[in-house]
Amino acid sequence: MKRSLAALSALLLALSASACGGDDAEESGPVTLTLAGWSLATTPEFKTLADGFRAAHPDIAVELKEYDAANYDTQMIADLAAGKAPDIYVQKNLKNFYTYQNGKQLLDVSDVAGKLGSGVGGLSSYQVDGKTWAIPYRQDSWVLFYNKALFDKAGVKHPDGSWTWDDYGTVAKELTTKLKAAGDKALGTYQHTWQSTSQGFALGQTAGADLQSGDFGFLKPYYEKALALQAAGAQVSFGDATTNSLTYQAQFGKQSAAMMPMGTWYIATLLSQQAKGDADTFEWGIAPAPQATKSTTGTSATPVTFADPTGLGINPKISESRIEAAKSFLAYAASADAAKALAGIGVTPADTATAVDTIFTLKGAPTDDLSKFTFTTHDTKPENPVSKYTAPLQNVLKDLHTAVLSGSKPIDAAITEAQDRAKNEVLSK
């Protein structure tokens, strides 16, 4: 997949000269836009945006084009190269944004960005050379989900927003011990197998950390803590999680873990699964992600976390007659009306402040003040800082992640190997 994605990226550059040719034929009658999405049966945000926009613009229809969620970028790059991509397509994360922008596969939407309110998060991530190339409609942030019932069963105090990673580790071990004594097999926490579970926090919370520097020493404290949780039995081992293909939804939703660091996108999934009976019914809440130091803890501070925005860009091959309609769609997607509509299905919009009153009135959502504070108050750093080096560096770091958590390499050796690979395979190119 890595080789095919790189080849397709090169093809985009080769075809970029024709990217703005478009279809110059005049269109008459109602306008129809095409919009990319994935897993449409279980991911309602795309239809929610399309329906909301159509209600405000009855003369413009929006047709959805479905892609495979796991292979979205590979398929999209292929469609762009073949001239078959939709008018509007999603920037699923920032990892491959450089590929699209540098390959001239995004229309300049600076005029749309200039009219947005200051509450729209993630916009700066799409700005290159003084221009804006996509508009965020979602801005998730990683937080700490916790099962209030399991905390109460163990007799452990709920999170209060003051935790560092050391506090979190101590509580995870305490929960594991006390739940076992109470006859419950749930572990204290579940950290999913993704590299971002350790690396995203390390990059976002470590002063001076720079992915592009090729110096990955900032990762060590976070991996030390992750390995300590595994060794204590407070977290399922990486080997068991990967071998058994554990899902984070089942680990938390079926109450196999009392806590779980995860992105706010899980709110919508958990509410939906509890309503359908696919997850157990229990009271839960969200708290700020554990912090590197006490200086960013407490409700008078702004906790530091991470996540990429999710944005929408316009295919530059779109016909001239549909450009204004497409820009209107992007403006709607970042609007307060769209934020409320997305919040109504549990999705975290780019304008979180507008959505808080909606999302916390949903059936099954928490109502406590800390959950509301957590949802609205955070300094969210990008997981994938935009650069031509980001995607290949993340591939190197994925191997480091697997080596460390599987126990096949000590932390220091894995970091040294990753730094050598970054220097020789990526940064010297």
Side-chain angles (χ1 to χ4, degrees):
M1 183 181 296
K2 294 176 186 175
R3 288 194 295 270
S4 64
L5 189 58
L8 288 168
S9 300
L11 183 57
L12 282 186
L13 287 170
L15 296 178
S16 64
S18 63
C20 298
D23 176 7
D24 294 328
E26 289 294 323
E27 296 183 8
S28 59
V31 174
T32 298
L33 297 171
T34 51
L35 169 66
W38 56 82
S39 306
L40 299 182
T42 57
T43 311
E45 65 198 61
F46 307 111
K47 186 175 186 301
T48 296
L49 288 174
D51 290 348
F53 179 75
R54 184 65 187 270
H57 300 81
D59 56 333
I60 306 175
V62 181
E63 294 181 354
L64 300 178
K65 182 174 181 178
E66 186 168 20
Y67 288 81
D68 176 66
N71 298 297
Y72 174 79
D73 285 305
T74 301
Q75 293 177 352
M76 180 57 66
I77 289 172
D79 276 2
L80 286 165
K84 300 189 297 183
D87 299 323
I88 303 167
Y89 66 102
V90 184
Q91 299 295 302
K92 195 173 184 183
N93 53 47
L94 293 177
K95 184 177 180 180
N96 292 300
F97 171 67
Y98 177 85
T99 297
Y100 296 116
Q101 191 276 327
N102 188 60
K104 296 181 172 58
Q105 298 303 311
L106 289 166
L107 197 69
D108 179 3
V109 291
S110 300
D111 50 345
V112 178
K115 297 175 184 176
L116 299 180
S118 59
V120 177
L123 185 62
S124 63
S125 295
Y126 298 121
Q127 295 171 340
V128 180
D129 297 331
K131 297 180 180 179
T132 304
W133 301 95
I135 300 297
Y137 72 94
R138 282 178 51 178
Q139 176 59 78
D140 289 290
S141 297
W142 277 61
V143 299
L144 182 66
F145 285 79
Y146 68 100
N147 183 321
K148 295 182 179 181
L150 288 178
F151 268 77
D152 292 343
K153 187 174 185 178
V156 175
K157 289 183 179 179
H158 294 191
D160 60 5
S162 69
W163 289 3
T164 63
W165 287 103
D166 287 337
D167 298 324
Y168 160 80
T170 297
V171 172
K173 296 169 188 175
E174 182 184 7
L175 283 164
T176 303
T177 300
K178 291 185 174 180
L179 285 170
K180 183 178 180 179
D184 198 304
K185 295 181 180 180
L187 299 182
T189 193
Y190 179 72
Q191 296 180 181
H192 196 42
T193 56
W194 298 331
Q195 69 193 89
S196 53
T197 307
S198 293
Q199 295 176 9
F201 285 116
L203 181 63
Q205 295 180 344
T206 306
D210 180 5
L211 194 69
Q212 321 303 327
S213 71
D215 181 355
F216 306 137
F218 64 90
L219 297 173
K220 184 174 181 178
Y222 289 80
Y223 278 112
E224 288 176 333
K225 292 176 174 59
L227 289 175
L229 287 173
Q230 287 190 173
Q235 150 78 32
V236 65
S237 73
F238 182 81
D240 286 346
T242 52
T243 300
N244 296 311
S245 300
L246 299 184
T247 68
Y248 69 86
Q249 298 95 329
Q251 287 300 294
F252 191 79
K254 289 296 186 179
Q255 303 190 85
S256 293
M259 298 186 291
M260 182 175 71
M262 187 52 60
T264 48
W265 62 79
Y266 181 52
I267 293 174
T269 302
L270 182 55
L271 290 175
S272 174
Q273 290 186 334
Q274 286 189 321
K276 295 176 181 178
D278 295 331
D280 294 347
T281 299
F282 58 89
E283 192 176 358
W284 55 275
I286 57 174
Q291 298 293 292
T293 68
K294 284 290 186 182
S295 63
T296 51
T297 65
T299 54
S300 61
T302 301
V304 179
T305 185
F306 78 96
D308 286 344
T310 307
L312 296 169
I314 298 176
N315 181 351
K317 292 183 181 179
I318 189 173
S319 70
E320 290 287 338
S321 61
R322 297 201 299 276
I323 289 177
E324 288 308 312
K327 287 184 175 181
S328 293
F329 185 88
L330 265 62
Y332 169 77
S335 70
D337 287 341
K340 292 175 183 176
L342 290 170
I345 58 170
V347 171
T348 307
D351 186 352
T352 55
T354 297
V356 64
D357 290 338
T358 301
I359 205 162
F360 286 102
T361 58
L362 297 176
K363 185 178 180 181
T367 58
D368 61 278
D369 290 340
L370 183 63
S371 292
K372 294 177 181 178
F373 169 83
T374 301
F375 185 78
T376 57
T377 308
H378 33 69
D379 179 7
T380 303
K381 308 291 188 181
E383 177 184 352
N384 295 284
V386 176
S387 163
K388 67 178 181 179
Y389 299 122
T390 296
L393 285 175
Q394 292 288 28
N395 291 334
V396 170
L397 291 175
K398 183 177 181 181
D399 292 340
L400 177 155
H401 179 74
T402 300
V404 170
L405 290 188
S406 67
S408 65
K409 283 189 177 70
I411 298 174
D412 288 335
I415 288 176
T416 297
E417 180 181 282
Q419 289 177 162
D420 290 342
R421 287 185 59 196
K423 178 181 178 180
N424 298 322
E425 298 175 18
V426 180
L427 299 174
S428 61
K429 303 297 184 181

